[in-house]
Amino acid sequence: MKITRSIAIASFFILLLVPGVFAETTVTSITANPGNFNSILNESTTITVQATSGVLGLEVRVLLPDRITVVRSGLALAETTPGTYTTTWDGRNDGNAGVVAGTYAIRVFNPGTTTFIGPWGEVAVAGLSVSPSTFTPTGTNAATVTVQ
């Protein structure tokens, strides 16, 4: 079939033109420094990843401790030295709102393969927390807001 052959040839040339996009990637570590920061004070953390050199398009995703719910995606990793990638997180979620105080999981994500890669890391965010987390005012109940 001419269409199938044309698509296969086009895909081959795309792989040749964009090196590193679909390369096999190994991630050996992910760390946040500082490991605890206060987003209310406009602090941020630098996330550093050790991985296969020369890979393009990797990002870090920030998740709730359940390691399922994504809080922040699209934190693009830039290779600063061969095999070392960094990005910065300011404690905001995908909706640009500050996250509540707590510990969050971090992991490298490859959008090209839609898979997580390598070990898990974590980062703690100080700031606001509300207890109970879901509050509906009734006139007879209360919520506690804590600034850490």
Side-chain angles (χ1 to χ4, degrees), residues 61-72 104-105 116 120:
R61 292 202 171 174
V62 180
L63 299 93
L64 292 178
D66 65 10
R67 295 183 173 185
I68 296 170
T69 309
V70 176
V71 173
R72 176 77 166 130
Y104 293 85
F116 283 99
W120 289 91

Side-chain angles (χ1 to χ4, degrees), residues 4 9 23-24 29 34 42 53 88 91 121 132 138:
T4 304
I9 291 170
E24 185 173 337
S29 70
N42 292 322
S53 181
T88 302
T138 64

Side-chain angles (χ1 to χ4, degrees), residues 1-17:
M1 303 194 99
K2 289 183 181 181
I3 294 174
T4 304
R5 190 176 315 153
S6 297
I7 291 171
I9 291 170
S11 298
F12 175 74
F13 283 116
I14 288 171
L15 290 174
L16 289 177
L17 294 173

Side-chain angles (χ1 to χ4, degrees), residues 1 10 28 58 60 109 116 138:
M1 303 194 99
T28 57
L58 297 177
V60 168
F109 185 78
F116 283 99
T138 64

Side-chain angles (χ1 to χ4, degrees), residues 36-41 43 99-102 124-129 147-148:
N36 188 346
F37 71 101
N38 191 324
S39 60
I40 291 177
L41 300 177
E43 295 175 350
V99 299
V100 298
V125 179
L128 291 178
S129 63
V147 178
Q148 297 178 330

Side-chain angles (χ1 to χ4, degrees), residues 112-136:
T113 61
T114 63
T115 56
F116 283 99
I117 310 169
W120 289 91
E122 65 178 34
V123 61
V125 179
L128 291 178
S129 63
V130 179
S131 179
S133 61
T134 302
F135 178 71
T136 305

